[in-house]
Amino acid sequence: MSATTLDTPPTPTQTPARRADRAGALRGVARRLATALFVLLCTATVAFFLVRLSGDPVKILLPPDATAEQEQVLRHSLGLDQPLFAQYLDYLRGLIRFDFGDSLVYGQPVGEILVDRLPATVELAAAALAVTLVVAIPAGILAAMRRGRGTDHTVMTGVLLGQSAPPFWVGILLILVFAVWLRILPASGYGTLANLILPAVTLAVYSVAVVARLLRSSLIDVLSSDHIRSARAKGFGPFQLVLRHGLRNASLPVVTVIGLEVGNLLGGAILTERVFSWPGVGQLTIEAISNRDFPLVQATVLFFAATFVVVNLLVDLSYSFLDPRVRTSR
């Protein structure tokens, strides 16, 4: 046997266990994707049938003195004279082509209207997420480090209020204080940083409470573990223990919740945009419901549902990769 043959390492091959693990992961991803598509289909179906219980949009689109013949002509042009099941099949065929139809009020493709309004909603959600991170993370850390003291009680009281207060009530209260009494911020509008502050804070109040409370609980559990006690015995100070050891180990569930809160911020912007007249998808949804604009209502509902489904799917998949125990238990 030659020396070349002896020195050549054997070609690595995948073990059956590794192949089975990869196949299981792929099946898990496929199962989650199938579940997400099924949820979106159910949402689209429910939105389609429920929106038609609100009444006939022809009565709103035409003047009060319109004749029955004019109503029939408009109803035929909109396809509303077809059987309900035929309308539903046309709607599903459009969804497959990503065609959401034309708005009954604006006369434009619904997709174009959503694209025009989406940047305002994304801007508001991004600002609210920034407020959440800036406020919730220090508050959770301080509450965990001062457990049972005044700082902890103050933070937990704020958490309780933040989780209990309705967003529209918080928005009205902020307008009353900062726009009416102090007159330092505008009550509505869009386009400047001053216009963004109040709606972003309003939208972030609930998320701040959720993230701060979870971070406090996670840090308390981590700080009572054996390796933290060992690090404390070695002379590490409180902030070093939290920043170097505790925060890293407590961050996994917090990152998961922050990812879920992104979907909540996008989906929860409806009331906030209404209160502050913010020209986003939430405000568009309220207008579409008031005008009985069937295609636009269906598209906005499906947009918010898709936001929640996609964010939850990404968080679920990322959590499985970050924590191998989750991947092996499913």
Side-chain angles (χ1 to χ4, degrees):
M1 185 177 296
S2 62
T4 304
T5 305
L6 293 174
D7 296 337
T8 303
T11 304
T13 59
Q14 290 186 344
T15 63
R18 182 175 299 179
R19 287 196 298 267
D21 184 64
R22 177 173 296 182
L26 292 177
R27 284 195 299 269
V29 172
R31 185 170 58 252
R32 291 178 178 87
L33 288 175
T35 303
L37 291 177
F38 178 74
V39 170
L40 291 179
L41 176 61
C42 293
T43 302
T45 302
V46 172
F48 176 86
F49 287 102
L50 285 184
V51 74
R52 279 156 177 77
L53 298 178
S54 62
D56 190 359
V58 174
K59 301 293 184 181
I60 296 179
L61 297 176
L62 290 177
D65 57 349
T67 63
E69 182 180 357
Q70 290 175 326
E71 293 181 1
Q72 185 63 27
V73 171
L74 179 58
R75 190 174 288 107
H76 177 73
S77 65
L78 298 176
L80 298 177
D81 58 342
Q82 299 179 8
L84 188 60
F85 188 70
Q87 297 181 41
Y88 174 66
L89 292 180
D90 290 338
Y91 173 58
L92 292 183
R93 282 193 288 265
L95 289 182
I96 295 175
R97 304 189 304 269
F98 293 97
D99 180 11
F100 303 99
D102 295 336
S103 170
L104 303 182
V105 175
Y106 297 98
Q108 301 176 3
V110 170
E112 295 180 2
I113 300 175
L114 284 178
V115 170
D116 291 338
R117 295 293 191 98
L118 185 58
T121 298
V122 173
E123 178 183 352
L124 178 58
L129 180 61
V131 173
T132 299
L133 297 179
V134 170
V135 177
I137 293 178
I141 293 175
L142 289 176
M145 295 179 62
R146 301 288 190 270
R147 181 184 180 185
R149 303 178 185 177
T151 304
D152 185 21
H153 295 317
T154 301
V155 171
M156 295 309 295
T157 301
V159 165
L160 179 62
L161 293 175
Q163 289 185 305
S164 304
F168 68 88
W169 181 84
V170 174
I172 293 174
L173 182 62
L174 291 179
I175 291 175
L176 182 63
V177 174
F178 294 97
V180 178
W181 292 349
L182 300 179
R183 297 183 180 181
I184 57 178
L185 291 173
S188 62
Y190 174 72
T192 65
L193 179 60
N195 298 125
L196 181 61
I197 293 176
L198 289 184
V201 172
T202 300
L203 189 59
V205 167
Y206 181 80
S207 297
V208 167
V210 172
V211 175
R213 182 175 183 177
L214 180 62
L215 180 58
R216 172 188 177 273
S217 301
S218 299
L219 273 177
I220 289 175
D221 292 338
V222 171
L223 293 178
S224 61
S225 59
D226 293 336
H227 73 281
I228 294 295
R229 285 195 291 267
S230 300
R232 186 181 292 112
K234 294 178 181 179
F236 286 96
F239 284 98
Q240 289 179 319
L241 288 174
V242 172
L243 297 179
R244 289 189 179 183
H245 302 280
L247 192 59
R248 179 183 302 176
N249 296 326
S251 62
L252 188 58
V254 177
V255 169
T256 303
V257 170
I258 290 175
L260 297 177
E261 284 303 309
V262 172
N264 293 332
L265 292 175
L266 286 170
I270 296 179
L271 293 178
T272 303
E273 291 183 3
R274 184 64 172 176
V275 171
F276 293 95
S277 299
W278 192 263
V281 180
Q283 177 76 354
L284 180 65
T285 304
I286 300 296
E287 297 172 357
I289 294 174
S290 301
N291 296 325
R292 298 177 187 170
D293 195 340
F294 291 171
L296 194 53
V297 173
Q298 293 164 182
T300 53
V301 170
L302 193 59
F303 164 76
F304 288 119
T307 300
F308 276 100
V309 168
V310 171
V311 170
N312 279 271
L313 179 63
L314 293 177
V315 169
D316 191 16
L317 294 177
S318 64
Y319 197 51
S320 299
F321 284 106
L322 289 174
D323 193 345
R325 294 171 299 178
V326 176
R327 186 165 62 248
T328 57
S329 63
R330 296 185 178 184

